[in-house]
Amino acid sequence: MITPKFSVVIHAEEEFDWDGGFYPANTAVTHGAELIRFVDALLDVGANVTLAMDYPFITSEDGKRVVSHFKHLDGERIEFATHLHPWVNPPIPEGTTSVTNRESFPGNLPEEEEYAKLKALTDEIERVTGTRPVTYLAGRYGIGKHSRQILNSLGYKVDLSVSAYTDFSRNEGPDFSLSSNQITRDDTVTSIPHTCSFVCPLPWVEQHFNRNPSDYQKWASNKLTAILLKILRVKKYRLSPEGFGFAHMKAVTEAQLRVGQEVYIVSLHSPSVKPGCTPYVKSEAQYDAFKHSLVTYIDYLLRQKKGEAFLPGYFVKDD
């Protein structure tokens, strides 16, 4: 029997209009108190939490209060990691008022620029937390051809930027459609994907696509077989309380357990803990449902599945 190992990864970032473009001036972070209460609730039910922090978050007063509140748990229940949003991360050329969709993915930047931005963020997180981060999450999951080399040069051990079975190329981002949830190693960097899964009422269909994502892409790209996918009710769910309820997250886990998956990344964005800051949580009622789904899921993993909480950077050190 597989013992699922899981980590809650929070994309700790500024508040901005998700459909309004990418502007260096959008750096507001006002949800620190809400995030502290939310993370405390997750810790109380047995989760470990990775705070993947971007530049506006770690330099804000609210972000610093969050760090101060959890600093005594660093390396035990909390991990401070990096999350690079290039449009708000120095160095920013003078006179820049916005960046293109393509430039919002860190891996699309020139190597020197991607390195300079990540080094600035890494140094700032070390300065504020007292710990040099070893776990990285690219903003918008935007790793590129130079990213692993840059991570290696800055001392990173873990990359959380892959989103299994997901294609961002329509937005000029990376294509992970053929990537599963399996851990991979490249030089000194270990990649632990954000967990996604195909789910289907027919277990053998579900397992086939989770083991052979290239077949799903072939079916999805053909009009006739794409219709068949709908008839078979093949869907892709993300392991997240944002846009998904407990039943969806449980379905992801059960599907991945059937193909032997052991490690799970549960993810969300920090502004979602304050109603009105993300499209996922617009009201108090939605917040209550969002929080309840995640807490119920953690309880399900720990109690029913006898799961174990981990922190990515320390998990790899012990691996």
Side-chain angles (χ1 to χ4, degrees):
M1 179 178 178
I2 295 174
T3 299
K5 298 176 175 62
F6 75 99
S7 186
V8 176
V9 175
I10 298 180
H11 305 206
E13 60 191 32
E14 71 282 2
E15 299 138 22
F16 62 98
D17 180 356
W18 286 36
D19 297 316
F22 305 95
Y23 302 98
N26 288 349
T27 59
V29 177
T30 66
H31 58 278
E34 291 86 351
L35 183 58
I36 287 171
R37 289 195 295 270
F38 186 84
V39 173
D40 274 337
L42 300 186
L43 296 174
D44 285 345
V45 294
N48 288 348
V49 177
T50 292
L51 292 167
M53 304 177 290
D54 76 354
Y55 200 86
F57 187 90
I58 193 63
T59 56
S60 70
E61 291 305 312
D62 271 39
K64 291 174 183 176
R65 280 193 286 269
V66 171
V67 169
S68 178
H69 182 82
F70 293 112
K71 194 170 182 178
H72 69 289
L73 296 175
D74 182 20
E76 297 178 5
R77 305 289 306 283
I78 294 287
E79 179 180 4
F80 298 123
T82 60
H83 182 45
L84 179 57
H85 278 185
W87 60 95
V88 286
N89 197 116
I92 299 174
E94 186 176 353
T96 301
T97 58
S98 66
V99 304
T100 65
N101 193 42
R102 176 176 173 77
E103 293 169 328
S104 69
F105 294 94
N108 287 338
L109 300 175
E111 182 177 3
E112 297 79 8
E113 186 176 355
E114 184 181 3
Y115 173 85
K117 287 180 179 291
L118 185 53
K119 185 178 187 305
L121 176 58
T122 304
D123 291 347
E124 186 64 18
I125 290 175
E126 182 178 23
R127 188 186 71 80
V128 174
T129 68
T131 302
R132 191 159 182 88
V134 297
T135 298
Y136 175 66
L137 168 60
R140 311 196 75 198
Y141 313 98
I143 52 173
K145 62 182 179 180
H146 302 298
S147 300
R148 294 293 172 83
Q149 180 178 337
I150 292 170
L151 291 175
N152 190 26
S153 69
L154 291 173
Y156 282 89
K157 303 299 181 184
V158 181
D159 176 39
L160 303 175
S161 305
V162 172
S163 183
Y165 308 129
T166 306
D167 183 5
F168 298 104
S169 61
R170 288 186 179 181
N171 291 317
E172 301 183 84
D175 181 1
F176 302 123
S177 58
L178 302 184
S179 299
S180 71
N181 295 289
Q182 292 297 309
I183 293 175
T184 59
R185 290 173 173 81
D186 181 8
D187 297 327
T188 61
V189 178
T190 297
S191 174
I192 307 177
H194 271 51
T195 307
C196 297
S197 185
F198 297 114
V199 298
C200 177
L202 300 174
W204 66 271
V205 173
E206 174 186 272
Q207 291 178 46
H208 177 79
F209 287 131
N210 280 317
R211 290 193 173 106
N212 303 280
S214 60
D215 286 353
Y216 177 85
Q217 295 306 312
K218 291 175 184 176
W219 280 46
S221 62
N222 180 283
K223 290 183 179 180
L224 291 177
T225 49
I227 293 172
L228 186 55
L229 286 174
K230 292 183 178 180
I231 293 172
L232 294 172
R233 291 188 288 166
V234 179
K235 298 179 180 180
K236 186 182 72 177
Y237 293 156
R238 183 177 183 79
L239 192 56
S240 171
E242 295 177 324
F244 301 100
F246 167 66
H248 300 103
M249 292 189 285
K250 180 180 178 182
V252 167
T253 306
E254 298 287 353
Q256 286 298 307
L257 284 171
R258 283 191 281 270
V259 295
Q261 182 62 30
E262 182 181 15
V263 176
Y264 297 81
I265 298 295
V266 192
S267 65
L268 62 127
H269 299 82
S270 66
S272 285
V273 305
K274 184 176 182 179
C277 289
T278 71
Y280 302 111
V281 181
K282 297 180 180 179
S283 66
E284 289 291 342
Q286 287 185 332
Y287 171 76
D288 290 341
F290 159 82
K291 181 180 178 181
H292 179 73
S293 293
L294 183 54
V295 169
T296 303
Y297 175 73
I298 293 168
D299 184 75
Y300 149 81
L301 275 182
L302 291 173
R303 315 296 179 238
Q304 293 189 34
K305 295 299 178 182
K306 309 301 179 186
E308 299 174 358
F310 76 94
L311 297 172
Y314 299 89
F315 171 78
V316 169
K317 287 179 182 178
D318 295 336
D319 190 35

